[in-house]
Amino acid sequence: MADTRKENLIDGATGPWEVIVGMEVHAQVLSNAKLFSGASAAFGGEPNSHVSLVDAAMPGMLPVINVECVKQAIRTGLGLKAQINRRSVFDRKNYFYPDLPQGYQISQFKFPIVGEGIVTVDLKDYSFDVGIERLHLEQDAGKSLHDQDPDHSYVDLNRSGVALMEIVSKPDIRSSEEAKAYITKLRTILRYLGTCDGNMEEGSLRADVNVSVRKQGAPLGTRCEIKNVNSIRFIGQAIEYEARRQIDVIEDGGTIKQETRLFDAKSGKTRSMRSKEEAHDYRYFPDPDLLPLEVSEAFVEDLKTVLPELPDEKRARFMSDYALSAYDAGVLISDRASADFYEAVARGRDPKLAANWMMGDFFAALNKTGKDITESPISAAQLGELIDLISSDVVSGRIAKEVFEIMLEKGGMPGEIVEERGLKQVTDTGAIEKVVDEIIAANPKQVEQVQTKPKTLGWFVGQVMRATGGKANPDAVNALLRQKLQVPEEV
Ligand code: MN
């Protein structure tokens, strides 16, 4: 692993540099209601239509913890193989902003609900572990809208008070590729658990990315934090730009100042937002309106027993149950719907053939039609029946592709399509032999050639297949041709 990761080093004028990345991910908790109020946590809606008196911070209103959000945080902690802290504390993080009516965010500072955990990330050539430092619960803020008209700014409090899980990783990531793979894996885990929808476009998953550079083996360099990057591609771009910028600064004799930076998607660059000296002093203190949060062993155990099968476990099971490669299994389990679809297709059939069809023609068709697997125009039953037809030699692989295209365009079950259109493979040797004889008789030059160049047998196979509309059984054609042209079987 260490060797493979060396390829991640970035060349500088003074030699190779190592980039060190850690991430703080804000994941919006999937729940009906907000963290401390009963208002809807749904995305969108008319501005200020999901706002309770608590979310608007009316005087005298008291927060009441939503136990479903606590459960979601614990489920997530379990999915991250993390320590669940039986006692955690909500603090006030004080700052002023128009979309924060309380004047503070309720968050967890010293005592988070989830402690250290681990996420195993798989790339094509190697796997690596990212340590999880902690996961804590906190409220989201509202949204300020500045672009509506030039003279006014507006505040929408629909998001105010929605529960977030802040998931903090250790600086265990070594490249933009690794960072993208980490956030992808984290999102897969959250979606499997059903604790966050992982929708980055709607802001339910946003990442703060910490980047520093160093010479290999040297102590950690000064880091810069890139705030609120909201797509996987942008995370990669931001890291690449920022690492190069830091290397250039250091190699030009400068030093890196610890600061918060913003990523500009249009230019692909990061720019300074505020330096460490300008950083807020949040004056954290325990929220006097909330008791420390205590959960019993039994509460955690109950959640553990109903945890779904997680991506790593599913992948391992696919490798052993269906004899798939690590890569194929990884692709098929990358979301739960694909994994379920695959299992429905593969059950009782050739699992490798099922995997090839799904990852080939089937995914390509989804891509082409721009459809999600949950709205797939081809059902698991259709694809399964097609695979049955191939396995039982009713159709060749080539004809199967044709049947697949017909299903995609017009629907219907593969068996019926084959029947209606007369696409059944011809295995009757007598019928094939007739065609073979005709083609041999019509092509004396090629017959002579194949004696010295046995590879040209393929040309005859092609001719027979064409003459039979692709329906001749390729094995039978091959055997007959070899026998009649006296081309021995390849060893
Ligand atoms: Mn936060």
Side-chain angles (χ1 to χ4, degrees):
M1 182 180 95
D3 279 339
T4 324
R5 274 181 118 178
K6 258 184 197 156
E7 288 164 18
N8 293 328
L9 297 182
I10 298 175
D11 284 330
T14 60
W17 290 83
E18 187 175 34
V19 51
I20 311 284
V21 178
M23 279 205 245
E24 292 162 27
V25 173
H26 284 93
Q28 188 183 313
V29 173
L30 259 182
S31 64
N32 294 324
K34 295 182 179 180
L35 183 54
F36 298 111
S37 87
S40 166
F43 176 79
E46 274 292 297
N48 298 309
S49 59
H50 305 161
V51 188
S52 78
L53 297 171
V54 175
D55 310 321
M58 289 297 158
M61 298 310 296
L62 292 173
V64 178
I65 185 101
N66 175 352
V67 70
E68 184 52 28
C69 297
V70 174
K71 287 182 181 172
Q72 292 288 58
I74 294 174
R75 285 183 189 113
T76 306
L78 293 171
L80 301 175
K81 302 178 181 80
Q83 166 74 35
I84 307 300
N85 292 326
R86 300 267 306 281
R87 183 177 183 278
S88 60
V89 176
F90 286 102
D91 299 279
R92 289 186 180 180
K93 179 180 181 179
N94 299 278
Y95 67 97
F96 173 78
Y97 207 75
D99 59 24
L100 186 75
Q102 283 171 157
Y104 57 85
Q105 176 194 34
I106 303 178
S107 181
Q108 296 187 311
F109 186 53
K110 266 196 196 148
F111 304 103
I113 187 164
V114 174
E116 294 197 338
I118 202 155
V119 172
T120 302
V121 183
D122 303 296
L123 286 168
K124 226 172 176 174
D125 304 321
Y126 66 98
S127 301
F128 62 101
D129 286 338
V130 176
I132 298 297
E133 184 79 43
R134 59 185 280 163
L135 175 157
H136 65 254
L137 274 169
E138 62 186 27
Q139 302 173 296
D140 207 345
K143 212 156 92 185
S144 300
L145 306 162
H146 305 293
D147 301 330
Q148 308 278 329
D149 74 61
D151 303 322
H152 299 89
S153 285
Y154 296 89
V155 173
D156 176 5
L157 293 181
N158 280 351
R159 219 175 56 186
S160 169
V162 166
L164 299 177
M165 299 179 282
E166 182 172 330
I167 302 165
V168 182
S169 88
K170 296 189 176 176
D172 290 344
I173 297 161
R174 292 290 175 274
S175 70
S176 59
E177 279 316 306
E178 289 191 2
K180 290 193 281 184
Y182 166 69
I183 187 93
T184 304
K185 181 64 180 281
L186 185 61
R187 185 173 63 175
T188 300
I189 294 171
L190 295 170
R191 285 178 168 168
Y192 264 64
L193 291 163
T195 57
C196 170
D197 66 22
N199 193 332
M200 295 186 91
E201 303 82 60
E202 290 178 1
S204 22
L205 200 65
R206 338 190 261 271
D208 300 340
V209 189
N210 287 295
V211 180
S212 65
V213 297
R214 69 173 176 191
K215 286 291 170 76
Q216 258 199 320
L220 288 175
T222 305
R223 67 190 160 90
C224 291
E225 179 181 17
I226 311 160
K227 275 274 175 208
N228 262 333
V229 192
N230 64 358
S231 92
I232 292 177
R233 192 162 57 93
F234 293 162
I235 289 171
Q237 286 177 357
I239 292 169
E240 267 162 43
Y241 176 84
E242 183 58 20
R244 174 55 59 191
R245 184 190 71 85
Q246 292 184 13
I247 292 166
D248 290 348
V249 168
I250 298 168
E251 290 190 331
D252 286 347
T255 49
I256 301 299
K257 287 179 299 188
Q258 190 175 335
E259 63 183 355
T260 303
R261 300 177 70 85
L262 279 180
F263 175 70
D264 176 37
K266 262 187 213 138
S267 64
K269 295 177 178 177
T270 66
R271 62 183 156 81
S272 183
M273 188 174 130
R274 57 172 184 256
S275 71
K276 197 188 176 189
E277 293 79 62
E278 299 164 78
H280 297 289
D281 172 5
Y282 292 117
R283 296 170 292 126
Y284 279 101
F285 62 88
D287 192 315
D289 291 339
L290 289 158
L291 287 168
L293 175 64
E294 290 185 359
V295 293
S296 68
E297 185 88 52
F299 187 80
V300 177
E301 282 306 312
D302 281 354
L303 292 170
K304 206 183 268 178
T305 53
V306 291
L307 222 54
E309 183 181 36
L310 289 164
D312 288 345
E313 299 157 10
K314 202 184 277 286
R315 191 172 78 141
R317 184 168 64 77
F318 275 26
M319 288 169 71
S320 68
D321 283 7
Y322 304 117
L324 297 179
S325 69
Y327 178 76
D328 287 0
V331 171
L332 292 169
I333 62 98
S334 64
D335 69 88
R336 240 165 112 169
S338 298
D340 291 347
F341 195 100
Y342 171 73
E343 291 209 89
V345 174
R347 203 166 293 133
R349 301 194 173 96
D350 176 350
K352 183 64 191 159
L353 189 59
N356 288 345
W357 270 88
M358 262 196 75
M359 293 166 66
D361 295 63
F362 179 74
F363 280 159
L366 287 184
N367 246 331
K368 205 172 74 186
T369 52
K371 290 223 161 101
D372 188 82
I373 190 155
T374 55
E375 45 185 31
S376 164
I378 286 177
S379 68
Q382 283 174 301
L383 188 56
E385 189 174 303
L386 184 61
I387 286 164
D388 286 339
L389 296 179
I390 303 167
S391 298
S392 56
D393 279 330
V394 174
V395 295
S396 64
R398 214 196 85 177
I399 294 290
K401 281 175 184 288
E402 212 177 303
V403 175
F404 184 87
E405 285 304 316
I406 296 167
M407 276 199 305
L408 188 60
E409 274 170 35
K410 307 206 163 107
M413 289 305 283
E416 290 162 15
I417 295 171
V418 167
E419 203 61 55
E420 274 166 25
R421 304 191 179 224
L423 293 172
K424 253 194 196 147
Q425 181 160 255
V426 179
T427 37
D428 168 8
T429 356
I432 299 174
E433 191 169 5
K434 197 166 154 268
V435 180
V436 166
D437 287 341
E438 282 165 16
I439 285 168
I440 289 176
N443 298 285
K445 238 187 13 209
Q446 278 80 359
V447 171
E448 203 186 308
Q449 193 187 26
V450 80
Q451 304 309 319
T452 50
K453 289 185 190 163
K455 280 219 161 97
T456 60
L457 188 79
W459 181 84
F460 285 94
V461 176
Q463 293 301 308
V464 178
M465 293 310 280
R466 189 197 289 181
T468 57
K471 287 184 286 181
N473 179 319
D475 290 340
V477 173
N478 246 297
L480 271 168
L481 281 167
R482 282 185 191 284
Q483 181 202 326
K484 291 191 184 264
L485 295 168
Q486 291 176 318
V487 176
E489 198 79 43
E490 282 152 34
V491 191

